[in-house]
Amino acid sequence: MIDTESRLNLERDRAEVHAYLSERGGGIACDIGDDAVYWLGVVPRAQPAERFTARVIWTAYPWRPASVKFCDGIAGRVDAGHAWPQLPGYRHGSWDICKPFTAEGYALHPEWATDTNAWRTEGNPFLWVVQTLQRDLDADFAGRGA
């Protein structure tokens, strides 16, 4: 569970995330048991039959980046290779996304916190994370992991 401020901030920003994903054939759901956990349905533009489920877990929103992992359905396993898209920095063997929009990326690269990749809290960071995921899928999707 997250603090009240984070929960309210997420509630405020979630509508834009929902609209963005809906326009692209995707969707969003909040976990029933934990309001810090969201499930995203994301679809690569060039291959609309491919649908991925991303689990996003916030610890302090918008102050810290979220954990972002792919799973084989809502509440599914994150260690299922076929659940992960093949994209640069999306490591379906390590089960993380090594990019400066995830908690995992910042944990692997602490220098990002103080350079041009520093986490930004202004605007709608949730929407920015989702837009980054979508851009990566649209630009570099090379199939599913094994």
Side-chain angles (χ1 to χ4, degrees):
M1 300 298 275
I2 53 173
D3 62 89
T4 301
E5 179 185 15
S6 294
R7 184 177 46 75
L8 292 172
N9 288 334
L10 283 164
E11 287 175 8
R12 178 197 65 219
D13 288 351
R14 185 177 54 216
E16 279 186 279
V17 172
H18 172 73
Y20 179 85
L21 287 171
S22 293
E23 291 170 2
R24 288 153 185 83
I28 181 174
C30 184
D31 193 275
I32 293 171
D34 189 343
D35 52 9
V37 179
Y38 287 84
W39 305 95
L40 309 177
V42 291
V43 180
R45 182 182 59 223
Q47 295 190 37
E50 294 286 354
R51 184 178 183 91
F52 293 90
T53 301
R55 183 193 70 194
V56 179
I57 302 175
W58 297 97
T59 56
Y61 182 80
W63 313 113
R64 289 190 203 117
S67 169
V68 182
K69 295 181 181 256
F70 285 88
C71 28
D72 62 354
I74 292 177
R77 294 179 30 217
V78 299
D79 61 350
H82 66 275
W84 285 73
Q86 290 184 14
L87 295 165
Y90 290 60
R91 304 176 333 150
H92 68 273
S94 299
W95 319 118
D96 64 19
I97 301 172
C98 187
K99 296 189 95 174
F101 70 93
T102 69
E104 293 81 10
Y106 284 99
L108 292 166
H109 296 279
E111 70 277 9
W112 286 350
T114 57
D115 68 15
T116 59
N117 294 305
W119 180 251
R120 293 175 182 87
T121 59
E122 66 274 356
N124 184 336
F126 196 173
L127 179 61
W128 179 76
V129 166
V130 171
Q131 289 171 329
T132 302
L133 277 171
Q134 188 67 56
R135 257 191 316 273
D136 288 352
L137 278 169
D138 290 347
D140 296 318
F141 180 63
R144 287 186 175 271

